[in-house]
Amino acid sequence: MQRRQFITLVGGTVIGWPLSARAQQPTMPVVAYLSANSPDEGEPRAAAFRLGLQEAGYVVGQNVAIEYHWAEQQVDRLPTMAADLVKRRVTVIAAVTTPAVLAAQAATTTIPIVFESGSDPVRLGLVTNLNRPGGNITGVSSLVVEVGPKRLELLHELLPTAKVMALLVNPADRAMAQATTREMLSAARNSGLELHVLNVSSESDFDTVFADIKRLRVGGLVIGGGSVFLRGLKKLAALTIRHAVPAIYLYPEFPAAGGLMSYGSDISDSYRLAGLHTGRVLKGENPAELPVVQATKFELVINLKTAKALGLTVPNTLIGRADQLIE
């Protein structure tokens, strides 16, 4: 069963804003798409971004050009990449993923930046206010960090006798890892749970971390945000089954691949809205006055077949709230 998802715009006003360095731009504006991911995992979301651009009246190759800059999970490359974009005076930087927008922010205070990030943009210091961002940055927040405690709550509801949980984070994605760890440790304390925070920097760490999970007698696993987990989603799903670890992740592709549960916002729509925001900036709207978009609806997906294989009975309270059940 499916329920409609949507993301709404935080209210506010917008005013015209002359793009800096517009006089030096070619006839066709250039959007620099900066991402910590690789093209193979990032292209479906880039397609959603282009759809948003098109909704704003911009068609790639006709009245806008897009340059793709992929860090291939090497986040230490991003500052140099962002600095190069500033030197070339691109029209707009579309910084998707938290490491990318932080690098872009450090590189320029004049070129407009539109972000898609899973973290709270105010807490990150990207904007001063959601309704009136106040600088050269605006964008979309999918609230990956903020709904982390909800994922822990849902997993605990399914596993009421479990007292030990684990959280996977990528320390290379420092801002995301620190914010996620802070929120989740607080949530675990409030629920009377012991939470082990385990670091994963690459897919090569997966086998080792699952050995740690077994050693720690973990009852359930929450998988954090970040490109390393997205890229290794199918392998993670397989490992949770092999090691009989009930796990919850952000995206519905996880239970579709055999994982137990997912809970998160519609990430494709977040990227579409980032494209739409970019189009509005290209038309002259001021990022300082263009409200940040935040996810307001989230989807719960449960793989009942996996639950059965793990010997779990999914309570009716969860089944009734699920947006999709995989049987």
Side-chain angles (χ1 to χ4, degrees):
M1 54 186 128
Q2 299 283 348
R3 294 178 187 158
R4 186 175 180 180
Q5 300 170 295
F6 62 92
I7 295 179
T8 57
L9 187 67
V10 177
T13 59
V14 293
I15 61 173
W17 184 65
L19 293 174
S20 63
R22 180 181 288 277
Q24 300 184 35
Q25 296 292 338
T27 303
M28 187 178 293
V30 176
V31 174
Y33 188 94
L34 182 64
S35 172
N37 295 330
S38 58
D40 57 343
E41 64 185 326
E43 173 51 34
R45 295 173 182 184
F49 177 85
R50 292 191 296 270
L51 178 61
L53 268 180
Q54 186 172 335
E55 290 178 11
Y58 289 92
V59 178
V60 178
Q62 293 184 16
N63 57 355
V64 70
I66 298 184
E67 297 178 354
Y68 296 95
H69 302 269
W70 308 96
E72 306 271 356
Q73 288 78 50
Q74 299 178 49
V75 295
D76 57 340
R77 296 174 53 199
L78 287 166
T80 300
M81 296 168 73
D84 180 65
L85 298 178
V86 174
K87 286 180 182 178
R88 295 195 295 104
R89 303 181 75 83
V90 298
T91 315
V92 180
I93 299 175
V96 298
T97 68
T98 300
V101 67
L102 290 173
Q105 179 190 37
T108 181
T109 57
T110 55
I111 294 176
I113 298 168
V114 176
F115 65 81
E116 197 294 324
S117 172
S119 300
D120 180 347
V122 175
R123 182 173 287 177
L124 278 179
L126 299 177
V127 301
T128 57
N129 184 281
L130 295 178
N131 285 341
R132 297 174 62 87
N136 64 316
I137 304 176
T138 188
V140 182
S141 174
S142 50
L143 300 178
V144 169
V145 172
E146 286 69 29
V147 298
K150 183 64 176 181
R151 283 190 285 277
L152 181 63
E153 175 188 322
L154 289 166
L155 192 59
H156 191 215
E157 186 173 344
L158 178 58
L159 306 165
T161 61
K163 298 302 179 184
V164 181
M165 301 285 191
L167 167 69
L168 300 187
V169 298
N170 179 6
D173 191 345
R174 185 177 305 172
M176 175 75 76
Q178 290 179 346
T180 300
T181 299
R182 180 179 59 248
E183 295 287 335
M184 294 290 285
L185 286 174
S186 176
R189 284 193 298 269
N190 292 337
S191 299
L193 296 171
E194 181 181 356
L195 182 70
H196 295 281
V197 180
L198 305 176
N199 291 328
V200 174
S201 299
S202 69
E203 287 186 56
S204 62
D205 295 330
F206 285 176
D207 289 324
T208 300
V209 82
F210 271 87
D212 291 338
I213 287 170
K214 182 177 181 180
R215 176 179 56 82
L216 294 167
R217 300 181 183 276
V218 167
L221 174 66
V222 180
I223 301 169
S227 59
V228 66
F229 304 119
L230 176 62
R231 187 172 66 255
L233 181 150
K234 291 183 178 180
K235 184 176 180 180
L236 281 170
L239 284 168
T240 61
I241 295 300
R242 184 189 311 165
H243 294 276
V245 179
I248 188 167
Y249 185 46
L250 299 166
Y251 307 123
E253 291 87 350
F254 180 68
L260 178 60
M261 302 170 65
S262 68
Y263 181 76
S265 60
D266 185 339
I267 194 67
S268 292
D269 205 41
S270 290
Y271 275 70
R272 180 187 67 82
L273 288 168
L276 188 61
H277 251 37
T278 300
R280 294 178 67 175
V281 172
L282 288 171
K283 288 179 177 179
E285 294 192 41
N286 184 353
E289 300 292 334
L290 187 55
V292 171
V293 176
Q294 285 194 298
T296 59
K297 292 295 181 180
F298 302 88
E299 181 182 52
L300 171 63
V301 180
I302 304 172
N303 188 321
L304 295 178
K305 183 179 178 180
T306 298
K308 184 177 180 180
L310 293 172
L312 300 173
T313 300
V314 181
N316 290 332
T317 53
L318 279 180
I319 290 177
R321 279 146 51 203
D323 297 271
Q324 182 180 356
L325 296 171
I326 300 173
E327 301 184 71

